[in-house]
Amino acid sequence: MPERHRNEPLHHQVTRAIQELIEKGSFKSGSRLPSERALSEQLQVCRNSVREAIRALEIIGVLESHHGEGNIIRCRPSDVMMHTTAAKISRESIIEILETRRAIESEAARLACVRISREQGKILQCYVGEMLIANCDKVAMAIDAGFHRKMAEYSGNRLLLSHLNALMRNMEDIRGTAGYDIFSTYRYYDTMIEIHQEISDAIIKDYPEEAAAGVTEYFRMVFKAWDENKNE
Amino acid sequence: MPERHRNEPLHHQVTRAIQELIEKGSFKSGSRLPSERALSEQLQVCRNSVREAIRALEIIGVLESHHGEGNIIRCRPSDVMMHTTAAKISRESIIEILETRRAIESEAARLACVRISREQGKILQCYVGEMLIANCDKVAMAIDAGFHRKMAEYSGNRLLLSHLNALMRNMEDIRGTAGYDIFSTYRYYDTMIEIHQEISDAIIKDYPEEAAAGVTEYFRMVFKAWDENKNE
DNA sequence: TTTCTCCTCTGGTAATACCAGTTTTACCAT
DNA sequence: ATGGTAAAACTGGTATTACCAGAGGAGAAA
């Protein structure tokens, strides 16, 4: 390990160190990580910290622990960086997040068309109604987020919802960490409400292509606002 | 904790126990988890195991550790179940995975159209070429997987790729755990090659809609094969 | 009332011992 | 030499203890 930073939890540093070790070292998928005791000595940290790091790497799918056998490498850490806390979030990555959201939500919109119930359809419309009432502030922001989450929920696919949740949490992290507010997209607030209305209607009427088109339109607008905001 | 199973690692059980504790207990987002020492006593396990569990929950975004303050709950565990090892994989979830893949890969195909380089385009075609040579066996299966990964890579969006990787690893888990082979889709092997050819061509010629349509077609075929396979 | 100190809460690290599977080694019998 | 078996030396898993370090509250001093 390069050097120990006092401000950051050690187990996080160890997690990164092991990741780099896997990445740079020629560990192929299926090979064994050095034993916990060996790592603990090599990195000059206690075995506890090593184990905590391994537990993290295990749950994101990089490792697999086998009692008595060793910690087996499943895949390169760079393949799973996604929504981990350790991943540093750059200003560029907001674009990646938005594109991924577009992917998830387009599919969710299509699926919701055929799977949404009558009551759920009404709930979706309620969100649009609340947007109309709310002013363009943090409350409106929460309603917006709620709409998209609900749409994913009504797709009937829990996996889509969980991916969307991960992405939205990432966006929140960016807002918190970097301090800049991507939600100045609200200069198009009225347009945005219209789009949500479109999406909601399309889903309820079971027009998958229109619903997906609405989602695409939504993100087109977000990207536009983001670009304008960036150039200021 | 209900009871300790001797065969399963304790820290996994603790992870589940804490998840249930958050889910059933009326812990709202932002509230504090009981202290590690309290949990350790309550669940009758050592603090190490509690901490390892917390580390896992932290990295998937359920918790947030703050030195001196406590472990803060960020969201309900059921919202992030996705690709965690702990998540039990059911036969139904294969449908969710495939739908999510369709979402990711449709977007990836579109993006690849505008971002792929000439060399990358050739590599993509190579995969199709290898499919033609290979027989319908495990090798072909690997080539297929490789094609889709490359497409995601050439989308220029690392996040899309990492999500796809997570999904594919899940599919591998299912194949391993449940023992049934979803890859009997290969009864349509020739059709499948044609589809990949279509997708590849569309991407190289920069026809986003056709590329996305190809992906949709691919999954239509997989779903069909899956259904037929299920009814046997 | 305000401010500062200190005590006690929290998570973070370390070190140690031992339990429980796996793999290797070494030895013995064939 | 070969094969099988038992012991030894790995591996991860769990428990215990001690102490460090940040955060916050309680109470004393200004």
Side-chain angles (χ1 to χ4, degrees):
Chain A
M1 200 157 48
E3 55 192 272
R4 290 165 65 142
H5 302 93
R6 196 54 72 175
N7 45 346
E8 190 189 7
L10 186 54
H11 52 262
H12 282 176
Q13 301 180 46
V14 174
T15 305
R16 266 207 313 281
I18 296 180
Q19 281 181 325
E20 289 169 12
L21 221 145
I22 297 173
E23 205 80 52
K24 303 197 170 172
S26 55
F27 289 115
K28 290 186 180 176
S29 178
S31 63
R32 266 178 31 190
L33 202 65
S35 76
E36 296 176 356
R37 288 171 179 86
L39 282 172
S40 137
E41 188 165 358
Q42 179 181 338
L43 302 177
Q44 287 294 298
V45 299
C46 74
R47 205 178 139 207
N48 274 347
S49 300
V50 173
R51 282 184 61 82
E52 290 185 24
I54 287 177
R55 217 47 61 216
L57 294 176
E58 184 184 37
I59 203 126
I60 64 176
V62 171
L63 293 178
E64 219 171 80
S65 283
H66 292 282
H67 189 175
E69 193 175 349
N71 292 306
I72 275 69
I73 292 161
R74 284 189 69 184
C75 70
R76 306 221 320 284
S78 57
D79 291 339
V80 291
M81 52 118 190
M82 39 187 333
H83 60 80
T84 62
T85 309
K88 48 250 167 247
I89 298 159
S90 70
R91 189 161 180 133
E92 285 76 41
S93 64
I94 184 72
I95 296 172
E96 299 195 338
I97 295 175
L98 287 172
E99 285 173 354
T100 311
R101 274 192 59 182
R102 181 170 57 192
I104 297 295
E105 296 193 35
S106 296
E107 178 76 18
R110 279 184 232 266
L111 289 176
C113 286
V114 300
R115 289 179 187 165
I116 199 169
S117 74
R118 221 168 284 278
E119 305 98 272
Q120 289 172 337
K122 283 178 184 168
I123 293 174
L124 212 54
Q125 280 188 311
C126 283
Y127 276 88
V128 179
E130 285 182 37
M131 283 183 197
L132 288 166
I133 297 169
N135 297 317
C136 177
D137 55 4
K138 281 179 183 168
V139 178
M141 189 175 92
I143 298 171
D144 178 37
F147 179 92
H148 291 267
R149 272 187 229 272
K150 279 297 171 191
M151 186 172 71
E153 183 183 335
Y154 299 156
S155 74
N157 183 325
R158 295 165 303 166
L159 205 49
L160 280 175
L161 177 58
S162 69
H163 278 257
L164 179 61
N165 275 323
L167 294 167
M168 287 187 136
R169 259 186 290 117
N170 265 359
M171 288 179 66
E172 287 168 16
D173 285 344
I174 290 181
R175 233 175 64 241
T177 309
Y180 47 86
D181 194 357
I182 58 169
F183 291 97
S184 62
T185 65
Y186 280 67
R187 68 175 64 179
Y188 299 106
Y189 192 62
D190 292 334
T191 318
M192 206 194 68
I193 295 177
E194 281 176 36
I195 294 176
H196 283 93
Q197 182 76 60
E198 272 177 45
I199 297 174
S200 173
D201 288 347
I203 290 175
I204 291 168
K205 291 177 185 166
D206 190 10
Y207 294 155
E209 292 315 313
E210 287 188 20
V215 171
T216 305
E217 184 61 24
Y218 172 79
F219 282 102
R220 200 194 321 279
M221 192 199 65
V222 174
F223 277 116
K224 190 179 170 192
W226 169 250
D227 268 347
E228 290 172 0
N229 191 35
K230 198 171 58 181
N231 297 333
E232 280 170 11
Chain B
M1 201 157 48
E3 57 191 89
R4 291 163 65 139
H5 303 92
R6 197 53 73 173
N7 44 347
E8 191 190 8
L10 186 53
H11 53 261
H12 282 176
Q13 302 179 45
V14 174
T15 305
R16 266 208 313 281
I18 296 180
Q19 281 181 326
E20 289 169 12
L21 221 144
I22 297 173
E23 204 80 51
K24 303 198 172 174
S26 55
F27 289 115
K28 290 186 180 176
S29 180
S31 63
R32 267 179 32 191
L33 202 65
S35 77
E36 296 176 355
R37 289 168 178 88
L39 282 172
S40 139
E41 187 165 0
Q42 179 182 338
L43 302 176
Q44 287 293 299
V45 300
C46 74
R47 203 181 140 203
N48 274 347
S49 300
V50 173
R51 281 184 62 83
E52 290 185 24
I54 287 177
R55 218 46 62 214
L57 294 176
E58 185 185 36
I59 204 137
I60 62 175
V62 171
L63 292 179
E64 219 171 82
S65 283
H66 291 282
H67 190 173
E69 195 175 350
N71 292 304
I72 275 69
I73 293 162
R74 284 188 71 182
C75 71
R76 307 221 320 283
S78 57
D79 291 340
V80 291
M81 51 119 190
M82 37 187 336
H83 61 81
T84 63
T85 309
K88 48 261 169 229
I89 298 159
S90 70
R91 190 161 181 133
E92 285 76 39
S93 64
I94 184 69
I95 296 172
E96 300 195 338
I97 294 176
L98 287 173
E99 285 173 354
T100 310
R101 276 191 58 182
R102 181 169 57 190
I104 297 294
E105 297 194 33
S106 296
E107 179 74 18
R110 279 184 231 265
L111 290 176
C113 287
V114 299
R115 291 180 186 166
I116 200 169
S117 74
R118 223 169 283 277
E119 304 97 273
Q120 289 171 337
K122 283 178 184 167
I123 294 175
L124 212 55
Q125 280 187 313
C126 281
Y127 277 89
V128 179
E130 286 182 36
M131 283 183 197
L132 287 166
I133 297 168
N135 296 318
C136 177
D137 55 4
K138 280 178 185 171
V139 178
M141 189 173 90
I143 298 172
D144 178 36
F147 178 92
H148 291 268
R149 271 188 230 271
K150 279 296 171 192
M151 186 172 71
E153 185 183 333
Y154 299 156
S155 75
N157 184 324
R158 295 164 304 167
L159 204 51
L160 280 175
L161 177 59
S162 69
H163 278 258
L164 179 61
N165 275 323
L167 294 167
M168 286 186 138
R169 259 187 290 117
N170 264 358
M171 286 178 67
E172 287 168 16
D173 285 344
I174 290 181
R175 232 175 64 241
T177 309
Y180 46 86
D181 194 356
I182 58 168
F183 291 96
S184 61
T185 66
Y186 280 67
R187 67 175 64 179
Y188 298 108
Y189 191 61
D190 293 334
T191 318
M192 207 193 67
I193 295 177
E194 281 177 37
I195 294 176
H196 282 93
Q197 182 75 60
E198 271 177 43
I199 297 174
S200 174
D201 289 347
I203 290 176
I204 291 169
K205 290 177 187 167
D206 190 10
Y207 294 155
E209 291 315 311
E210 287 187 20
V215 171
T216 306
E217 184 61 25
Y218 173 79
F219 282 102
R220 201 196 318 281
M221 192 199 67
V222 174
F223 277 116
K224 189 178 171 192
W226 168 251
D227 268 346
E228 290 172 1
N229 191 34
K230 198 172 58 180
N231 296 333
E232 280 170 7

